[in-house]
Amino acid sequence: MTDTLHLAAEGVSEHRPLIISLFATFVLVTLGITVWAGKQTKDATDFYAGGRQFSGFQNGLAISGDYMSAASFLGIAGAIALYGYDGFLYSIGFLVAWLVALLLVAEPLRNSGRFTMGDVLAYRMRQRPVRTAAGISTIVVSIFYLLAQMAGAGVLVSLLLGITSEAGKILIVVLVGVVMILYVSIGGMKGTTWVQMVKAVLLIAGTLLITFLVLLKYDFNISTLLGEAADNSGAGSAFLEPGLKYGIDATTKLDFISLGIALVLGTAGLPHILIRFYTVPTSQAARRSVNWAIGIIGGFYLMTIALGFGAAALLKRTDIISSNKAGNTAAPLLAQEIGGGPDSAGGAILLAVISAVAFATILAVVAGLTLASSSSFAHDLYANVIRKGQATQKEEVSAARWATVGIGIAAVALGVFARDLNVAGLVALAFAVAASANLPTILYSLFWKRFTTQGALWSIYGGLFSSVFLVLFSPVVSGKASSMFPDVDFYWFPLENPGLVSIPLGFLLGWIGSLVSKEPVDKEKYAELEVRSLTGHGAH
């Protein structure tokens, strides 16, 4: 047990009843919301799309809740605390990505589909192969994203409750998985959306509080805060300049380009974000919801400056790393320090409150991710591929609930191995897979008349397998102390993020697959899709 973890555990030990009460209160309140929403879930539209009853603002708040995950709150704060300017690049990338989603995807996707990405692809292509590919891709991307949330949950609760045994940390990941399965299987999209809205409000409020207290300590002089962060980091002025993490050599520079491409293009291909566009009644509401999300998320990412650089200024780098080598505990430890330190009641209470908010963040995001993947399994794979469109809505929803259990178990099993990886880095991998497999197919389908079924399959499977394959043989999985399996070494791909290779490959394969395809292009279907995507005429 590290000194930092000892301090945190000792500091909160006398306040453990408060901590447990905060956690239990959030779980019980949100489960209550989920049960209430579950009673109103009558059919597939309610389960998948919340009955399309949410306003642009409500959906924008829910999208913000989905997007501001453990990667945002824990991973980015840790990355900034350890690497300064280079860590803040995550915040910039996550935010800029929304412009791609707003300009290219939000409104056309809402107009063209019904419940999932597969609906858009199947509109003018052969149903069974493209729905199978879309379903597989959605599940893989969601599981990559779920890994990050599970890693964050294990780190957070271990810090708060002083759990040091590996068995205890594994049990935490399992409990998160159980609660996640309950949220989705009972509440569907309605329950998940309300939980996301509650969580978004809590996260913004908690982040505002820490930002205010950090800036208050430095008399609201950001220059002083950054200067002290640089001095305390041990890197001096280099802490505030590019290159501390990504400027070491040619490989790290390429890794940064790869990361940037994945972050900027990945959002528009994330399944749990895409399905949110179907919860609003019109395409205009979908666009408004993205506008609201950009405003809320932009404000949040600006505050990560105070979280990350505040942690660098007020905490020792060695303490952050000794608590969690990827830096995932920087934000909770900052809350404890700014509240008065490990030995104070204020520090313990603030640590408990912020950790409860972060835990709420994790539970809400894993629910959204699980809903996206279970919906795609039930609607694309079960109803339209296995049952060939003959499944009733009741059977479809039942399949979605069983898929939730299966995906939850897979996420828990993989999450156990990802406990020591930086959650922002893990999420960046999910972005790379989404940008490689989903985004090329969506854009080609919406905007290229010549696109065919073969092009869609080459694009999805090529982007998916190349990105996952490169990750498996990258330093993320083996070969380094920070890897998922640090004791073995079978990596040969030098970059930690595969986006630089796999994203262009996904676009290229979709283009080549369509050009060499002998399948005739259905110009009438494309014309119908074009009118629907741009005007909303005939949209569900």
Side-chain angles (χ1 to χ4, degrees), residues 32-87:
I33 292 170
T34 302
V35 171
W36 165 77
K39 290 179 180 177
Q40 300 181 48
T41 300
K42 303 289 194 297
D43 56 22
T45 302
D46 285 338
F47 187 86
Y48 294 137
R52 308 195 201 284
Q53 296 172 351
F54 293 100
S55 68
F57 170 72
Q58 288 176 321
N59 193 44
L61 196 58
I63 288 174
S64 304
D66 244 339
Y67 200 66
M68 296 183 300
S69 65
S72 302
F73 194 60
L74 301 178
I76 292 178
I80 295 173
L82 296 180
Y83 301 109
Y85 181 94
D86 281 15

Side-chain angles (χ1 to χ4, degrees), residues 81-101:
L82 296 180
Y83 301 109
Y85 181 94
D86 281 15
F88 184 59
L89 292 171
Y90 278 102
S91 292
I92 298 169
F94 283 137
L95 179 57
V96 171
W98 273 106
L99 296 177
V100 179

Side-chain angles (χ1 to χ4, degrees), residues 56 105-106 133 179 202 230 255 261 322 370 414 497:
V105 172
V179 176
L202 286 174
D255 221 345
I261 294 172
S322 64
T370 310
L414 291 169
N497 192 291

Side-chain angles (χ1 to χ4, degrees), residues 55-267:
S55 68
F57 170 72
Q58 288 176 321
N59 193 44
L61 196 58
I63 288 174
S64 304
D66 244 339
Y67 200 66
M68 296 183 300
S69 65
S72 302
F73 194 60
L74 301 178
I76 292 178
I80 295 173
L82 296 180
Y83 301 109
Y85 181 94
D86 281 15
F88 184 59
L89 292 171
Y90 278 102
S91 292
I92 298 169
F94 283 137
L95 179 57
V96 171
W98 273 106
L99 296 177
V100 179
L102 173 64
L103 296 174
L104 296 179
V105 172
E107 194 170 332
L109 197 75
R110 167 62 186 81
N111 290 338
S112 307
R114 190 171 175 222
F115 297 134
T116 65
M117 178 181 76
D119 290 334
V120 178
L121 304 183
Y123 189 81
R124 65 184 184 105
M125 296 174 193
R126 296 200 308 277
Q127 284 242 358
R128 296 185 72 187
V130 295
R131 283 193 184 275
T132 301
I136 291 170
S137 176
T138 296
I139 290 168
V140 172
V141 172
S142 297
I143 286 178
F144 264 96
Y145 213 117
L146 278 167
L147 278 181
Q149 312 311 313
M150 294 300 188
V155 166
L156 188 69
V157 184
S158 300
L159 168 73
L160 202 60
L161 300 183
I163 295 171
T164 56
S165 69
E166 292 304 309
K169 293 176 183 177
I170 290 170
L171 181 61
I172 291 165
V173 174
V174 172
L175 289 175
V176 171
V178 170
V179 176
M180 162 184 83
I181 290 167
L182 287 174
Y183 277 174
V184 177
S185 57
I186 295 172
M189 179 58 87
K190 281 188 177 179
T192 302
T193 300
W194 280 107
V195 169
Q196 293 289 13
M197 285 191 275
V198 171
K199 166 253 165 150
V201 171
L202 286 174
L203 183 60
I204 289 292
T207 309
L208 267 172
L209 175 62
I210 297 299
T211 300
F212 175 79
L213 292 175
V214 169
L215 292 178
L216 181 65
K217 187 174 182 65
Y218 292 96
D219 297 322
F220 295 91
N221 188 324
I222 295 178
S223 179
T224 305
L225 166 62
L226 295 178
E228 191 158 325
D231 293 340
N232 199 43
S233 70
S237 61
F239 192 71
L240 304 178
E241 298 170 358
L244 199 59
K245 179 175 172 64
Y246 294 112
I248 300 169
D249 52 35
T251 300
T252 57
K253 290 175 182 177
L254 286 174
D255 221 345
F256 168 63
I257 296 172
S258 189
L259 172 69
I261 294 172
L263 293 181
V264 171
L265 297 180
T267 297

Side-chain angles (χ1 to χ4, degrees), residues 258 261 436 466-467 470 493 495 497-507:
S258 189
I261 294 172
S436 304
S466 64
S467 54
L470 292 176
F493 182 68
L495 306 183
N497 192 291
L500 187 62
V501 175
S502 59
I503 296 172
L505 187 62
F507 277 98

